[in-house]
Amino acid sequence: MNAVLLQQTSTHLTREVRRWDRRLRLRSSLVWGVRALTAGVSGGVTIAVIARLTPWLLPNQIVLITAIVTGLLMAAALGTIWIWPRSAAAAARYFDRRFALKERVSTALEVAAGSLNVPEPLAQRQLSDAVSVVKKTNADISSLLPVFVVSRREIVILLALLGAFAYLVLSDNPKDREILAKRDLQAAISQQAENLADAVEQVDANDALTEAEKQALRDPLNEAREILNQENISQQEAMAAMSQAEQAMGEMSDGMAANQEEAYQQAASELAQSEMTSSLAQALQQPDLSAAADEMDELAKDIAENNLSEEDRNALADRLEAAADQLEEDNPALAEKLREAAEALREGDMQKAQEALREAAEMMREQQQQLQESEMAQAAQTAQQQLDEGQKELAQAGQEGNESPTQQQGAQSQMQSAEQQQGQGESQSGESQSGENGEGEPQAASDTQETGAEQSQQSQSAQQGSEGSTENQSQADATGGTGEGESEDQQAGGAQSGEAPGGEGQPGAAEGAPNTQEGEGSVNAPSAGQGEGGSGVDDTAGIGLPENGGGEMPSNNASGETSGEPGQYDPENASSVIGGESDATLDIGQGENASVPVQEGEFSENPSGESSMSYLNVYNRYRNIISNALESGRIPLDQRDIIHDYFSALEP
């Protein structure tokens, strides 16, 4: 057989086998590509579901991870399909079996390659037959080896997974806000740590400060920065570290270092042992040089006005000298003046002692002014301001990310409404203030109700001054309410049996103050008092009320005495009827002394009208106060949650 013809036939058969092989690889790529995509999306759905159960990843992170995993799976599948080596002879044997060619193509390639030693006529017929079979196979290749053979079930599964993945990623996930809040908090903590580092650098760069002053300023800042740089630090811990550093800066904002304060405190301990210098000792204990200067002037006056014995002068001189010894190292000038005053006291020269004390007072005032204007004081005040701003930023960190846009808009709307109502309440309350006339007679106004805090203070003062105070009084809300359970008749009764001044020379306000506490479920119980209305008897049974303000209330019998037995709760005192009216008259009774004639006093009538201070106004006012206090960091961390929960429970 012609060698050239043999080579051409071999090349033709090899090319056709390679073409079949590429078609097979393309078919496998589509099948396994869909499967790899399905596996990758399935993994993304799993990650998205986990992210909805626990704060883990954000949607963009889930999409990125899913895309990477899916890409790797598809690359592995396609790489295996296309890069995996396969010889022409192996491919020919495969297609002979697949297309039922009875090994014609593979045998022809072996003959053309010289692997089989056959007679030339037989080899020629074998090659010719193989070419003919290949030609027929190419005509039916679309049906024999179709490319698009992906299962419909696999397509449906893939589409379902894609839909689920899109829903999980695009829909709102509450856990995302927690992640954003945590990320915002960590960023804020890192920023505050950098700010503290900058503050330390500013202190080091201030050449006007001594090395001791720099060290005193650096220590609190470095300590707070070390805490903020710790891993997984909570918001409370970060704010506590900032608050502690701010407190340290506040203590140095007067320009006095800790070692100097210790000297003044030791001097104060020496002066505290004498009664004449106890006030001066309290001022130095702070230490507050301005207040100490005022107390020094007072001491000079006391020396001039009191005729001190020799023993008293020597004792006072000993105290002044002991204080001077403690101040010798840090304030030698002041120590010298104190010694001059002590020496003058021992010599009996009171005028010289007064002059020395006054000079010491003036010296302390000048020193206080110099300290406040010193570089250390300015640096401490600057650092304190930065720390205060840092605490506010930490307090707000993560709050916006932890609320949905709808919740944020609702919160802003509520705050605006609260501010408007607060302004209206303050305007109305300023126009309707009640007071006492020139003769000591109270002018009661039923349409003016005090806030819960003022009522609590008045009630506690009256309880301490009353001779027959009861032990189990329901405690008034420290901040909440304007007397939620009171009817107008009860208010009138409380006013008539309350702080009635004693007329002509009789003490009535202190002893006759009513133990009235307003709030849900509270009891308006009269106490014993004196006045033009006669002396009453404190006959309160002292029955404790349930914590929730409900339940049964102590009742009065027909004679006006308190029976001590629980009666039915009056629903008109419930908080749900704030602003309503009551037709029932409160019988305050007089207990065992009911037969004592009652003297009528001169009381102004309670005018009718509606309350000008609503519960909501008072609540919003105190909520704003507490919010500012929580943000300022003045409230200890272990009490903030309790206060927050308490005011949340009072929300109308």
Side-chain angles (χ1 to χ4, degrees):
M1 185 177 180
N2 191 352
V4 175
L5 180 61
L6 183 63
Q7 181 65 31
Q8 291 179 349
T9 304
S10 176
T11 303
H12 173 71
L13 293 176
T14 301
R15 184 173 59 249
E16 293 300 326
V17 170
R18 293 295 184 188
R19 189 165 64 87
W20 291 347
D21 183 65
R22 287 194 298 271
R23 188 177 182 89
L24 177 62
R25 291 177 188 264
L26 179 60
R27 169 193 172 104
S28 300
S29 297
L30 293 177
V31 172
W32 287 102
V34 170
R35 292 175 181 176
L37 181 61
T38 302
V41 176
S42 177
V45 170
T46 303
I47 295 174
V49 171
I50 296 175
R52 284 186 170 268
L53 299 177
T54 181
W56 185 22
L57 296 173
L58 293 174
N60 57 342
Q61 296 173 325
I62 297 175
V63 172
L64 179 61
I65 293 175
T66 303
I68 293 175
V69 172
T70 304
L72 292 176
L73 291 175
M74 294 187 67
L78 297 178
T80 302
I81 293 172
W82 289 96
I83 299 177
W84 191 268
R86 186 183 300 170
S87 64
R93 287 192 293 270
Y94 171 78
F95 288 117
D96 281 341
R97 292 191 301 270
R98 185 179 184 89
F99 298 152
L101 301 180
K102 300 180 179 179
E103 299 182 353
R104 294 177 181 177
V105 178
S106 60
T107 303
L109 290 176
E110 291 177 356
V111 171
S115 300
L116 293 177
N117 189 10
V118 295
E120 183 176 348
L122 182 60
Q124 186 176 2
R125 294 184 62 182
Q126 178 68 34
L127 293 175
S128 178
D129 182 61
V131 171
S132 176
V133 168
V134 168
K135 186 176 180 180
K136 292 180 180 180
T137 302
N138 287 336
D140 298 333
I141 192 66
S142 298
S143 59
L144 294 174
L145 188 62
V147 176
F148 301 97
V149 291
V150 180
S151 166
R152 182 179 299 178
R153 182 179 63 181
E154 292 181 354
I155 295 296
V156 171
I157 293 175
L158 176 60
L159 293 177
L161 289 174
L162 287 173
F165 181 75
Y167 172 77
L168 292 173
V169 171
L170 298 178
S171 61
D172 181 56
N173 183 8
K175 300 299 181 181
D176 292 344
R177 293 192 290 273
E178 297 183 21
I179 298 174
L180 293 174
K182 185 176 180 180
R183 179 182 297 179
D184 187 18
L185 175 61
Q186 294 301 324
I189 292 176
S190 300
Q191 182 62 42
Q192 295 308 317
E194 294 179 1
N195 294 342
L196 289 175
D198 294 339
V200 172
E201 292 179 359
Q202 293 177 3
V203 171
D204 292 335
N206 193 344
D207 297 333
L209 297 173
T210 64
E211 188 60 33
E213 291 174 341
K214 290 181 180 180
Q215 188 64 32
L217 292 170
R218 281 196 303 258
D219 288 343
L221 297 176
N222 286 329
E223 183 178 355
R225 186 179 62 174
E226 291 177 0
I227 295 176
L228 294 183
N229 286 331
Q230 295 178 1
E231 296 183 359
N232 299 325
I233 183 174
S234 65
Q235 184 177 23
Q236 291 77 9
E237 292 172 342
M239 292 188 63
M242 297 284 289
S243 178
Q244 186 175 0
E246 181 188 6
Q247 183 178 0
M249 293 297 106
E251 293 175 354
M252 290 184 286
S253 62
D254 57 357
M256 189 177 299
N259 56 349
Q260 294 176 324
E261 292 182 358
E262 184 178 357
Y264 285 105
Q265 291 170 357
Q266 292 176 354
S269 63
E270 297 291 344
L271 295 174
Q273 300 179 18
S274 174
E275 183 177 356
M276 294 187 64
T277 57
S278 59
S279 299
L280 176 60
Q282 294 177 359
L284 290 176
Q285 186 68 28
Q286 299 298 326
D288 187 349
L289 296 185
S290 297
D294 295 338
E295 296 298 336
M296 193 76 75
D297 288 334
E298 291 295 330
L299 178 61
K301 292 180 182 179
D302 293 341
I303 292 176
E305 295 175 357
N306 298 329
N307 187 14
L308 300 179
S309 62
E310 182 178 358
E311 181 180 359
D312 293 337
R313 293 198 307 271
N314 292 333
L316 180 58
D318 292 340
R319 294 300 96 211
L320 293 176
E321 284 184 347
D325 293 338
Q326 300 296 335
L327 297 172
E328 182 64 35
E329 183 177 355
D330 295 288
N331 198 339
L334 179 60
E336 182 180 356
K337 291 299 178 183
L338 294 179
R339 286 195 178 92
E340 290 180 4
E343 184 178 356
L345 286 172
R346 286 195 175 92
E347 294 175 356
D349 190 348
M350 308 306 293
Q351 183 176 0
K352 184 178 179 181
Q354 294 176 42
E355 292 178 358
L357 292 175
R358 291 192 179 97
E359 291 176 359
E362 187 64 26
M363 184 180 299
M364 284 192 289
R365 291 190 179 93
E366 294 177 358
Q367 291 176 352
Q368 180 67 41
Q369 185 176 1
Q370 292 175 359
L371 288 173
Q372 292 177 350
E373 296 175 355
S374 65
E375 287 293 333
M376 181 177 180
Q378 298 297 327
Q381 291 173 6
T382 301
Q384 183 183 13
Q385 183 178 2
Q386 293 177 353
L387 290 168
D388 180 66
E389 294 176 355
Q391 285 188 78
K392 293 180 180 179
E393 292 178 2
L394 283 178
Q396 297 175 356
Q399 299 299 322
E400 295 181 358
N402 205 18
E403 294 181 357
S404 63
T406 304
Q407 292 174 339
Q408 293 178 9
Q409 294 176 0
Q412 293 176 358
S413 176
Q414 291 179 0
M415 292 300 296
Q416 293 176 358
S417 176
E419 291 176 357
Q420 295 176 357
Q421 294 179 358
Q422 178 181 353
Q424 296 175 358
E426 292 177 353
S427 174
Q428 294 176 355
S429 62
E431 297 176 357
S432 58
Q433 297 294 334
S434 62
E436 295 184 357
N437 56 19
E439 299 177 358
E441 296 178 355
Q443 297 177 351
S446 63
D447 61 335
T448 302
Q449 299 180 352
E450 297 177 345
T451 64
E454 295 172 349
Q455 294 171 353
S456 177
Q457 294 175 358
Q458 293 179 358
S459 177
Q460 292 174 0
S461 300
Q463 184 176 3
Q464 294 174 359
S466 174
E467 296 179 356
S469 62
T470 60
E471 295 180 357
N472 297 325
Q473 293 291 337
S474 62
Q475 297 298 324
D477 236 335
T479 55
T482 57
E484 290 189 28
E486 287 190 1
S487 63
E488 291 180 338
D489 293 324
Q490 288 172 326
Q491 294 176 2
Q496 293 177 0
S497 62
E499 294 182 350
E504 299 177 359
Q506 293 182 356
E511 297 179 353
N515 196 352
T516 305
Q517 300 179 352
E518 298 179 359
E520 294 185 6
S522 62
V523 181
N524 295 330
S527 302
Q530 295 178 355
E532 293 183 5
S535 175
V537 178
D538 189 353
D539 196 26
T540 304
I543 300 175
L545 298 179
E547 294 180 358
N548 59 0
E552 296 180 343
M553 305 287 288
S555 59
N556 297 331
N557 54 23
S559 62
E561 298 179 356
T562 303
S563 63
E565 296 296 333
Q568 294 296 326
Y569 172 68
D570 185 0
E572 293 187 3
N573 289 334
S575 60
S576 60
V577 294
I578 295 177
E581 297 182 356
S582 173
D583 296 331
T585 302
L586 179 64
D587 185 6
I588 60 176
Q590 292 188 352
E592 299 176 355
N593 296 336
S595 60
V596 178
V598 178
Q599 299 179 3
E600 296 183 357
E602 297 180 359
F603 298 101
S604 61
E605 295 182 356
N606 293 328
S608 60
E610 296 181 355
S611 171
S612 62
M613 182 69 73
S614 67
Y615 176 81
L616 184 60
N617 286 338
V618 176
Y619 171 77
N620 289 330
R621 177 185 303 176
Y622 281 94
R623 183 181 64 178
N624 293 336
I625 294 174
I626 292 300
S627 298
N628 294 333
L630 290 173
E631 293 179 358
S632 65
R634 296 193 301 268
I635 297 178
L637 293 176
D638 57 348
Q639 298 180 12
R640 293 186 181 183
D641 293 339
I642 300 175
I643 295 174
H644 179 271
D645 295 342
Y646 173 75
F647 277 91
S648 298
L650 293 178
E651 186 173 359

